[in-house]
């Protein structure tokens, strides 16, 4: 199974400041169709997760443009250009290339300093 | 409006069984593969099972293989998870989800809580 490793696991950020989360996979996530199925989810406290980014860098509908995804192969990054209060929660990466199983990262908890 | 509504969560003793349901609306259910994902209290997300739109392809995580069974009824826009031989470690909120791979839209239900006590 592909192991997804996120860092940091805890991310205290000042409002208005940028934030960055790393996600590394144990093998390349490039699929035979040329796509890289690396997605990012956000879970606010007490809520269901929702997807922010799919296939490395594509924002889902309604996701603010302060969120951006990048990376290739085995190294990926989620960046928030200016953290807002509503960004509090846990961010997960997930790979959909070598499934089953789908595998999630451990989660990165973002809090406001 | 897209909705996924899970039900069936409950308190059950170890070794017991439960059947979770997820009813979908607002999208063409029969064309979407469906997943079950769970989240133990204070923990991360764990994928459990997948069923394709026509029920031809089914997968399970090793942690539930042989104990859980996924199924769907496209006439009722519903997907199910039959859970047998439940363990304390199965205690979690269970979500039905589409779009985990990243190839289609992503929808989540609100989750249903399963508590397994010894």
């Amino acid at each position: 199974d592909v192991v997804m490793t996120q860092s940091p696991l805890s991310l205290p950020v000042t409002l208005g400041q940028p934030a960055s989360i790393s996600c590394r996979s144990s093998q390349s996530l490039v699929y035979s169709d040329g796509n890289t199925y690396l997605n990012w989810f956000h879970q606010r406290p007490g809520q269901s997760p929702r997807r922010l980014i799919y296939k490395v860098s594509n924002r889902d509908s309604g996701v603010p443009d302060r969120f951006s995804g990048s990376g290739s192969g085995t190294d990926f990054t989620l960046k928030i250009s200016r953290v807002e209060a509503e960004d509090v929660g846990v961010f997960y990466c997930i790979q959909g290339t070598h499934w089953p199983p789908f595998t999630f990262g451990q989660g990165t908890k973002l809090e406001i300093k | 409006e897209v909705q996924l509504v899970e039900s069936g969560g409950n308190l059950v003793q170890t070794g017991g069984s439960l059947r979770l349901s997820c009813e979908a609306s607002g999208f063409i259910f029969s064309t979407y593969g469906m997943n079950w994902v769970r989240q133990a209290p204070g923990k991360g997300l764990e994928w459990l099972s997948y069923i394709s739109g026509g029920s031809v392809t089914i997968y399970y995580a090793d942690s539930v293989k042989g104990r859980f069974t996924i199924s769907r009824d496209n006439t009722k826009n519903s997907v199910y998870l039959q859970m047998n031989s439940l363990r304390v470690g199965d205690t979690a909120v269970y979500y039905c989800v589409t779009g985990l791979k990243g190839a289609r839209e992503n929808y989540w239900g609100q989750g249903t809580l399963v508590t397994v006590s010894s």
Side-chain angles (χ1 to χ4, degrees):
Chain A
D1 297 353
V2 176
V3 177
M4 306 298 290
T5 304
Q6 289 182 228
S7 63
L9 299 185
S10 178
L11 184 57
V13 185
T14 301
L15 285 174
Q17 292 301 301
S20 179
I21 300 170
S22 170
C23 175
R24 291 183 172 160
S25 56
S26 59
Q27 57 184 282
S28 172
L29 298 186
V30 179
Y31 189 54
S32 54
D33 65 1
N35 288 306
T36 299
Y37 293 99
L38 184 284
N39 311 309
W40 290 94
F41 288 84
H42 179 222
Q43 185 175 30
R44 294 180 176 130
Q47 295 188 15
S48 302
R50 72 154 176 162
R51 196 175 67 195
L52 299 176
I53 302 285
Y54 62 96
K55 288 190 285 186
V56 181
S57 60
N58 297 277
R59 273 190 305 275
D60 273 277
S61 176
V63 174
D65 61 7
R66 65 177 184 276
F67 290 96
S68 63
S70 63
S72 63
T74 61
D75 287 348
F76 305 93
T77 302
L78 176 71
K79 291 183 178 177
I80 310 172
S81 59
R82 296 172 307 280
V83 170
E84 297 189 5
E86 65 179 16
D87 300 337
V88 164
V90 183
F91 293 84
Y92 297 93
C93 61
I94 177 179
Q95 68 84 21
T97 296
H98 304 287
W99 74 285
F102 290 107
T103 46
F104 291 91
Q106 317 97 301
T108 295
K109 186 173 185 178
L110 185 148
E111 63 177 28
I112 304 300
K113 279 185 188 174
Chain B
E1 180 195 5
V2 170
Q3 276 198 310
L4 292 173
V5 180
E6 300 96 338
S7 60
N10 211 332
L11 171 63
V12 64
Q13 290 192 324
T14 54
S17 298
L18 277 178
R19 188 194 194 210
L20 306 184
S21 300
C22 169
E23 184 171 358
S25 59
F27 63 101
I28 305 175
F29 178 74
S30 62
T31 67
Y32 280 72
M34 296 297 299
N35 299 275
W36 286 97
V37 170
R38 71 183 176 186
Q39 186 170 38
K43 302 297 184 183
L45 301 168
E46 179 188 14
W47 172 80
L48 299 178
S49 186
Y50 166 86
I51 185 167
S52 61
S55 302
V56 172
T57 301
I58 288 175
Y59 299 121
Y60 297 99
D62 288 345
S63 59
V64 303
K65 198 174 297 181
R67 300 188 299 125
F68 291 10
T69 303
I70 193 171
S71 61
R72 66 189 295 161
D73 183 341
N74 288 341
T75 67
K76 295 181 179 178
N77 282 358
S78 293
V79 61
Y80 309 100
L81 188 67
Q82 176 67 42
M83 306 188 297
N84 299 330
S85 303
L86 283 162
R87 306 166 179 167
V88 170
D90 295 320
T91 294
V93 174
Y94 286 71
Y95 298 98
C96 59
V97 191
T98 71
L100 284 180
K101 181 179 176 72
R104 301 199 72 178
E105 295 85 353
N106 176 239
Y107 307 129
W108 290 74
Q110 85 288 352
T112 187
L113 176 62
V114 172
T115 304
V116 184
S117 72
S118 55

